[in-house]
Amino acid sequence: MDSRARNQVFSTASVVLCMAPGRLLLNHLWIQLKPACVELSQVALSFRSKNADAKAVVRCLGTLLEILDKDARSLDSALGDYVFFPLSHVFRQSQLLPERALELALNCLGVLLSNCWNQNVSNELAKQLLILLTFTAGGSPAQAGNAGTSEELKIAAFRCLTSLFKSMANSKSKSWPNDMDNLPALGHAVTVVLDAVADGSSFELQLDALAALEAFRLCVVRETLVGVFPGVVSRLTKCLQPTTSARRSYKVLERGLQVLSASLKCVLADSELKPSARGANATPLRSKDEEMKLDDPWLKANAPQVKLALGNVVKLRNHEKLAVRQALLQLCLVVLEDCCQSLSTAAGMMIETLIVLSSDDALEGQAALKRLALVDHNIVDLIQSSMHTWVMALPRLMRSNDDRVRRNVVSQLSTSFRLLSELGEKSEIVENSMAINLRDSVSAGLQAHSKQLLLQESTEQLEATDDQWQAAKRPTVHMKFPPLLLSHKSEEGFLQDLESLLQQLGGSSSSLVIVEELLGHISNASGDDLLASFWLSLRLLQSASNEVIFMEDVISFGSSNTGIRARLIEELYSFALTLLSGPVDGDRMDWRLYGLAMEAITLEARRLGGGFRMELVDALYPMVDLMGSSNEVLRGHAFTSLNNTAQTCGYTSVSDLLVENVDYLVNAVSLKLNTFDISPQAPKVLLMMIKLTGPPLLPFLDDLVGSIFAALDSFHGYPRLVALLFSVLEGIVQESSRGVAIALESRARINRGKSAAQSRTIPQVCKLLEDSKRRRSESLANVEDQMSGEAPKEPWKRGNGEEILTDDETGTSLAQLKDTGGVRPATSKVYQMVQKIARLGQHYLTHESPIFRRQLLSLLTTACGALYGDENEFLPLVNDVWPAVIKRLYDDEHFVAVAAAEAICQICRCAGDFMSSRIHSEWRDIKALYRNVRHKLQVEARHSGGIFTPYSQVRNALVKLLVAVVEYVRIDDDMFDDILNLFSDILDGRKDIQDALSLINADAVWLNMWTRTELLKPKVAGLVFEPMMARESV
């Protein structure tokens, strides 16, 4: 359009707008636009003649754009022609004006194309605008691109292109875009758009380019689109292909997938194929339609290239954004539903992608796959083929360090198997190859992470916690076994996916075939293969819920799957018992096998319910044995197995389970001890029984004590066995002291502590002397009467009629003996058992191992606290063990001497004055020992100054011993003075020592402290007093 034509249009539009009646709104808009357009036209022409600067042009364009944006919907074609006139002056100066001016001009043009010329745009104007916008966005065809063009200007150009293509698509006649003379310009425009799609510098630019490409597809006929189809697919693939160098926005990927889907559906739809390309059974078409169809050579040349492109695009199936996966799902459905013949070679790839996408519940991929499979059975074959490929690749992928790859393939297997199950298709691929490949996959995963497992085993605890012992006495609740295999933190997600797959397999009849094959492999397997087969068999059998088994019983009319499942569980249970009967701590076996054996026992218990009580004869012993394992995970598995078994069999707690079946366990332990079995399993089981049940078990263990000491006599050269046997004895004594098993409730506990001496006044002393004199006179009178009279006919009695004669040996009243038939009240079995342990244990205080000596001394300390309530039984025991205990006080090992001092303290507290003569006879050696330790401690203090040295610990133990002697044992004045002198250097800072010594003679304590402190000197005029110093220490 030349200058004269534009002026004519400008004038005509002005007249029309002024003369049009009833168009007040348009007149108002025209009144606003007219001065802006006139000013812009004048400024643009002045800029052309170099009488105005570019800033004025930019200002005018900004004012015009503001008016257009404000009332864009009120514009019509006449106003559009009126506004375009001054814009044409700007476009003619595009090479001289700044990019900001061109950007504003294009934004104004975009408003006109969207509102004024949104349909029936003139062919001449469309051609000129297409060339203008193409050169603005991408440069001339001879250029590689317009590198100097700003991103904002390109975005404005592509938005105008989009509006232009939409306007041509809405036109009644689409002859212009399909005219052969216009194809070069149109091809250049498409090339510029595709370059921006693939290599755009920002996602906004790419989005606008994709919008322009989609609008181009709508404005041209299919024949034109076929010509540019290879380039469109190539550039879209480059945009959609995941790369590490250029990370695409998810909005660009979503929009690109939508454009690619629409392009494939438009060009390669099966309805657009010629009969020769669709097959022999295709319906003949009319000749005029047949000319527009794709022929077989074209399809053979392009379909493989499209498949390669789709192979790169489907890599987006694991994209993190749901919108991208949804768009990819639609692309797969287009290929499978609309292009199933033209792109038949890509159907398998699309099926795999749909299976991957079906694992996301937010997508409807599984429903789409079901619909396709019901319509076309070939889809089922493709699903089975994909599943077979993944199964065969699973062992190789399990060795990969990429957890995402492993999780994906397992998730895909799970989804495909679930889909086949819902379709009612029985896949022989599962039965033929799943068992072997699953086993090899798990085995490969175990080998890849063996180093992590060794590290985990090295950090295990050696003893169970108090919470586990207390939980054994609480009511049972169902507990879940922690994972044994693939238990590392980084493998939690993969383990969940794998267990989900096994859960689905376990609910089908195919699982029984797999388990049967795995169990057949177990007998000859070893190492990781054995572990993997055992674990898979167990998980598949555990996956069958009670509802599945019930339905099998109801629906099956032939051989019941439930019977087969029960037989397989029994075989697994038998293998578990065989495994547990061997040495648990053997180096040849993986400890995880024993944990799986615990789960197999629990599975059998769940199957049999209360009927499993008969199996406890064989199963209970190894479960209790594993409670003493040094492996924390294995110990937890054993407790979980005991808890769940107790709940299944109807016991209220684990403790009740053991007490009710104690005869099985005790007989097994006794048999091993009596047959001189040197394995540590029997004492370990016994120790776990004691810790799990507590005092209720103790009355059943009296016969085992003799067997334990017999084993100690026979196998004292086996340190590990001896340590376990001593631990059992210590456990018995500790549990008896904690509980109420020792039946001494009817006998009052004896408090042998001394009370502080009460001071007497002078009248009280006088009264005491008078009473003493009166009793002496009465005694002499009674003697004279007895000398002159006959012998008494009956025992002497007190005033209340009670006999005063007692048994000299025990102190028991003869009247009490008479009431009980002359027999003292019998003590409980537990009391006798603890007494027997203490009495026999003294003979091992000379054992060569200092650890055992200390353990026995600790045992005696605990036993005294449990036995001292019955003097008649306890004091003879003290008399027996005293010689062996006192010798350990002078032991060369410091910690043994400390334990001996603690044991003697406890004996003094419990026996009281009974220890007076024994302490007196050993006093010289005890005093010498204390002085020797104190001297060595002073030497150590001068060199190191430590307070936790061995001699410091021994001295503290001796101090506690002497304090206990003062508090509970009768001592003479010389011993008291010795003790006071021994403590003179620490007496000031030890209130416990002061209180203990004050019970005997508080004045002596005060005097000792007073004389060891410098006295206050009297103040007398003319006299000087010398200070009184403390006397030397003893």
Side-chain angles (χ1 to χ4, degrees):
M1 184 181 295
D2 56 9
S3 176
R4 187 187 312 175
R6 290 192 184 91
N7 293 330
Q8 184 177 0
V9 170
F10 188 77
S11 302
T12 303
S14 302
V15 173
V16 171
L17 287 172
C18 294
M19 297 178 61
R23 304 185 64 180
L24 298 178
L25 183 60
L26 287 177
N27 289 336
H28 176 72
L29 182 58
W30 177 76
I31 293 173
Q32 293 180 347
L33 287 173
K34 181 178 179 181
C37 292
V38 171
E39 183 182 9
L40 177 60
S41 181
Q42 293 175 352
V43 171
L45 292 173
S46 299
F47 178 80
R48 181 179 181 182
S49 60
K50 299 182 181 180
N51 293 325
D53 58 357
K55 292 183 179 180
V57 178
V58 172
R59 179 180 53 79
C60 294
L61 286 171
T63 303
L64 179 61
L65 179 62
E66 183 179 355
I67 297 173
L68 292 174
D69 287 338
K70 185 177 181 181
D71 297 312
R73 295 185 179 181
S74 302
L75 296 172
D76 60 2
S77 58
L79 276 176
D81 294 338
Y82 181 81
V83 174
F84 184 72
F85 177 75
L87 292 178
S88 61
H89 297 307
V90 176
F91 290 133
R92 282 199 299 270
Q93 306 297 323
S94 60
Q95 299 296 326
L96 302 176
L97 287 171
E99 290 188 352
R100 177 58 180 165
L102 291 178
E103 180 186 349
L104 292 173
L106 289 177
N107 289 335
C108 294
L109 178 61
V111 175
L112 299 182
L113 288 171
S114 300
N115 298 277
C116 302
W117 306 325
N118 53 359
Q119 60 183 0
N120 297 326
V121 63
S122 63
N123 293 339
E124 184 66 23
L125 179 60
K127 182 177 181 180
Q128 291 182 10
L129 291 178
L130 179 64
I131 296 173
L132 171 66
L133 295 174
T134 302
F135 276 84
T136 302
S140 64
Q143 295 175 333
N146 194 356
T149 305
S150 66
E151 181 179 327
E152 291 78 7
L153 183 60
K154 292 180 180 179
I155 290 175
F158 283 127
R159 288 177 180 176
C160 290
L161 270 177
T162 303
S163 299
L164 178 62
F165 288 145
K166 287 181 179 180
S167 177
M168 289 189 291
N170 295 330
S171 299
K172 295 180 180 179
S173 175
K174 297 184 179 180
S175 60
W176 181 87
N178 305 296
D179 190 354
M180 294 297 295
D181 296 335
N182 298 324
L183 288 182
L186 200 62
H188 182 207
V190 173
T191 302
V192 171
V193 170
L194 291 176
D195 289 341
V197 168
D199 303 318
S201 57
S202 66
F203 77 93
E204 292 91 349
L205 179 62
Q206 290 178 310
L207 285 175
D208 288 316
L210 286 169
L213 183 61
E214 176 63 14
F216 165 77
R217 182 187 66 82
L218 296 174
C219 78
V220 299
V221 296
R222 180 175 171 275
E223 184 179 7
T224 303
L225 187 60
V226 169
V228 298
F229 178 74
V232 171
V233 173
S234 175
R235 304 304 283 175
L236 282 176
T237 302
K238 183 178 180 181
C239 174
L240 297 173
Q241 184 176 0
T243 59
T244 56
S245 58
R247 185 173 178 85
R248 304 294 187 189
S249 170
Y250 78 94
K251 294 181 179 180
V252 173
L253 298 177
E254 178 188 7
R255 187 63 174 156
L257 288 170
Q258 293 172 352
V259 173
L260 180 60
S261 300
S263 301
L264 291 176
K265 188 175 182 179
C266 181
V267 176
L268 294 178
D270 294 339
S271 59
E272 304 297 336
L273 299 179
K274 287 185 177 181
S276 60
R278 289 191 295 168
N281 298 327
T283 303
L285 298 174
R286 292 178 300 176
S287 59
K288 64 178 181 180
D289 293 331
E290 195 169 323
E291 293 177 357
M292 301 293 294
K293 303 301 177 182
L294 299 179
D295 56 5
D296 200 13
W298 188 95
L299 188 63
K300 289 182 178 180
N302 289 275
Q305 302 301 320
V306 175
K307 179 184 177 181
L308 291 176
L310 291 175
N312 293 321
V313 172
V314 295
K315 295 177 182 179
L316 294 171
R317 58 192 180 188
N318 295 316
H319 197 275
E320 58 184 0
K321 290 295 183 179
L322 178 63
V324 176
R325 300 197 301 273
Q326 180 67 43
L328 182 60
L329 175 65
Q330 296 302 321
L331 174 63
C332 295
L333 293 179
V334 167
V335 173
L336 293 173
E337 292 179 343
D338 300 305
C339 309
C340 59
Q341 295 183 18
S342 58
L343 295 177
S344 59
T345 56
M349 180 171 51
M350 296 295 105
I351 290 294
E352 291 183 5
T353 305
L354 274 180
I355 292 175
V356 174
L357 297 175
S358 298
S359 59
D360 191 346
D361 296 335
L363 300 175
E364 298 180 355
Q366 189 168 351
L369 269 175
K370 280 185 185 179
R371 184 179 70 252
L372 293 172
L374 291 174
V375 174
D376 187 1
H377 194 270
N378 293 329
I379 301 296
V380 177
D381 296 336
L382 290 174
I383 295 174
Q384 292 181 349
S385 177
S386 300
M387 190 175 180
H388 181 264
T389 302
W390 291 327
V391 169
M392 300 304 294
L394 189 58
R396 174 179 55 83
L397 295 177
M398 281 293 292
R399 294 181 174 89
S400 173
N401 292 326
D402 190 352
D403 185 64
R404 180 180 56 84
V405 174
R406 298 187 298 154
R407 291 190 62 181
N408 288 342
V409 69
V410 172
S411 178
Q412 291 158 201
L413 281 172
S414 179
T415 303
S416 56
F417 183 81
R418 180 172 64 250
L419 183 62
L420 290 176
S421 300
E422 293 176 356
L423 292 173
E425 298 289 340
K426 185 177 180 181
S427 176
E428 296 187 1
I429 299 176
V430 177
E431 298 179 359
N432 296 334
S433 60
M434 184 69 83
I436 297 176
N437 286 280
L438 275 178
R439 182 198 68 207
D440 295 343
S441 301
V442 176
S443 178
L446 295 176
Q447 293 174 2
H449 298 84
S450 58
K451 295 183 178 179
Q452 292 179 348
L453 181 64
L454 293 175
L455 178 61
Q456 177 184 349
E457 290 185 43
S458 64
T459 59
E460 292 162 356
Q461 299 178 1
L462 297 179
E463 296 182 358
T465 60
D466 292 337
D467 292 339
Q468 288 178 326
W469 307 133
Q470 296 301 324
K473 302 177 179 63
R474 292 195 290 264
T476 57
V477 292
H478 182 74
M479 299 173 65
K480 185 178 180 181
F481 287 101
L484 286 176
L485 274 65
L486 307 174
S487 57
H488 196 265
K489 188 71 174 178
S490 61
E491 297 173 324
E492 288 182 357
F494 172 72
L495 180 62
Q496 291 176 0
D497 294 339
L498 184 58
E499 289 186 341
S500 176
L501 172 62
L502 297 178
Q503 181 77 25
Q504 295 180 28
L505 288 174
S508 66
S509 59
S510 301
S511 65
L512 303 180
V513 179
I514 297 175
V515 172
E516 198 157 11
E517 185 173 352
L518 290 172
L519 288 179
H521 179 75
I522 282 179
S523 57
N524 300 321
S526 60
D528 291 333
D529 287 343
L530 173 60
L531 189 61
S533 300
F534 196 2
W535 184 77
L536 287 171
S537 302
L538 190 61
R539 286 293 175 269
L540 289 172
L541 292 174
Q542 286 175 338
S543 300
S545 61
N546 294 330
E547 291 79 5
V548 173
I549 297 175
F550 175 75
M551 291 301 297
E552 287 177 351
D553 285 334
V554 173
I555 297 176
S556 178
F557 298 98
S559 59
S560 175
N561 285 338
T562 305
I564 300 175
R565 195 182 304 275
R567 176 177 60 82
L568 295 175
I569 293 176
E570 288 179 0
E571 291 183 12
L572 198 65
Y573 169 69
S574 300
F575 173 76
L577 288 183
T578 304
L579 184 67
L580 292 174
S581 62
V584 176
D585 293 331
D587 297 333
R588 294 177 298 173
M589 285 293 185
D590 193 323
W591 62 268
R592 291 170 293 183
L593 286 172
Y594 300 107
L596 295 177
M598 293 290 99
E599 297 186 30
I601 292 176
T602 306
L603 179 63
E604 176 71 359
R606 188 184 71 176
R607 186 183 71 86
L608 296 178
F612 190 73
R613 292 194 176 200
M614 301 299 296
E615 299 291 333
L616 291 174
V617 180
D618 300 321
L620 191 56
Y621 185 89
M623 286 194 289
V624 178
D625 178 29
L626 289 178
M627 276 298 298
S629 173
S630 60
N631 188 305
E632 181 184 7
V633 180
L634 188 57
R635 191 167 57 244
H637 251 64
F639 181 78
T640 303
S641 180
L642 282 171
N643 176 82
N644 293 348
T645 302
Q647 185 184 37
T648 303
C649 295
Y651 295 102
T652 58
S653 65
V654 175
S655 178
D656 291 340
L657 167 67
L658 298 179
V659 172
E660 291 291 333
N661 299 276
V662 67
D663 50 345
Y664 304 151
L665 298 170
V666 171
N667 289 340
V669 173
S670 179
L671 180 63
K672 288 183 177 293
L673 291 177
N674 293 333
T675 55
F676 302 106
D677 187 352
I678 63 173
S679 66
Q681 188 178 28
K684 187 187 299 183
V685 171
L686 187 56
L687 181 60
M688 293 304 105
M689 291 167 54
I690 295 170
K691 289 183 176 293
L692 288 171
T693 58
L697 182 69
L698 298 180
F700 303 96
L701 304 181
D702 53 342
D703 294 335
L704 286 178
V705 174
S707 300
I708 292 174
F709 280 104
L712 286 173
D713 291 337
S714 302
F715 305 108
H716 57 271
Y718 295 87
R720 186 178 181 187
L721 178 62
V722 172
L724 283 173
L725 293 174
F726 279 145
S727 298
V728 171
L729 296 175
E730 188 176 12
I732 293 174
V733 174
Q734 287 178 351
E735 292 298 329
S736 64
S737 63
R738 293 175 185 172
V740 294
I742 303 178
L744 296 174
E745 293 83 358
S746 60
R747 308 182 187 185
R749 289 287 182 176
I750 302 172
N751 183 10
R752 302 187 182 278
K754 298 176 182 178
S755 58
Q758 299 292 332
S759 60
R760 293 182 174 88
T761 61
I762 297 299
Q764 290 176 340
V765 173
C766 294
K767 188 175 182 303
L768 183 62
L769 293 174
E770 292 177 358
D771 293 340
S772 177
K773 183 177 180 181
R774 186 183 68 254
R775 286 195 299 270
R776 188 181 299 108
S777 300
E778 292 176 356
S779 178
L780 292 174
N782 290 334
V783 170
E784 292 177 355
D785 293 340
Q786 292 173 7
M787 295 295 294
S788 60
E790 298 180 355
K793 304 297 184 181
E794 59 183 9
W796 289 312
K797 298 181 179 179
R798 295 187 176 91
N800 57 5
E802 182 183 354
E803 296 178 3
I804 61 176
L805 295 180
T806 59
D807 188 341
D808 295 337
E809 181 180 355
T810 65
T812 304
S813 171
L814 294 178
Q816 295 175 358
L817 293 176
K818 186 175 182 179
D819 293 339
T820 58
V823 180
R824 296 187 183 90
T827 54
S828 66
K829 288 185 177 181
V830 178
Y831 187 98
Q832 296 174 3
M833 180 173 57
V834 176
Q835 186 184 44
K836 183 178 181 180
I837 292 173
R839 180 170 277 111
L840 294 178
Q842 64 171 319
H843 303 299
Y844 299 91
L845 286 174
T846 58
H847 197 280
E848 61 182 3
S849 173
I851 297 178
F852 294 157
R853 297 200 298 270
R854 183 187 63 176
Q855 194 172 5
L856 277 174
L857 289 169
S858 177
L859 182 150
L860 284 172
T861 302
T862 307
C864 289
L867 301 175
Y868 79 96
D870 190 340
E871 287 186 338
N872 299 325
E873 299 290 340
F874 177 66
L875 296 182
L877 173 65
V878 172
N879 184 69
D880 292 342
V881 302
W882 172 253
V885 173
I886 191 60
K887 289 181 180 179
R888 296 302 103 208
L889 187 63
Y890 315 107
D891 199 291
D892 295 334
E893 296 293 339
H894 298 92
F895 62 90
V896 177
V898 171
E902 292 174 353
I904 296 173
C905 284
Q906 183 71 356
I907 292 174
C908 291
R909 295 188 189 100
C910 298
D913 292 341
F914 183 78
M915 299 298 299
S916 178
S917 60
R918 292 165 179 79
I919 295 295
H920 188 273
S921 63
E922 292 288 335
W923 179 242
R924 184 182 300 274
D925 295 335
I926 294 175
K927 185 168 58 173
L929 176 63
Y930 184 88
R931 289 174 175 170
N932 184 35
V933 171
R934 183 175 62 182
H935 174 70
K936 292 183 178 180
L937 185 60
Q938 292 172 351
V939 174
E940 282 185 351
R942 286 195 295 267
H943 291 84
S944 60
I947 60 175
F948 298 105
T949 60
Y951 286 111
S952 176
Q953 296 176 10
V954 174
R955 183 187 181 181
N956 291 335
L958 290 175
V959 169
K960 293 179 181 179
L961 168 60
L962 296 179
V963 170
V965 169
V966 171
E967 289 181 337
Y968 297 95
V969 181
R970 183 179 66 252
I971 60 177
D972 55 25
D973 295 339
D974 293 337
M975 289 179 60
F976 176 80
D977 292 339
D978 291 340
I979 294 175
L980 188 60
N981 292 330
L982 289 173
F983 289 161
S984 59
D985 58 333
I986 60 174
L987 190 59
D988 293 340
R990 296 288 297 271
K991 192 175 185 304
D992 56 334
I993 299 177
Q994 298 174 20
D995 294 341
L997 294 174
S998 297
L999 294 175
I1000 298 178
N1001 194 337
D1003 295 337
V1005 175
W1006 173 82
L1007 181 61
N1008 184 279
M1009 296 175 61
W1010 186 76
T1011 56
R1012 297 186 62 83
T1013 307
E1014 183 178 353
L1015 301 179
L1016 292 176
K1017 294 178 287 185
K1019 296 181 179 180
V1020 180
L1023 297 177
V1024 178
F1025 293 90
E1026 294 292 331
M1028 181 181 291
M1029 303 302 297
R1031 57 194 174 91
E1032 293 294 329
S1033 300
V1034 179

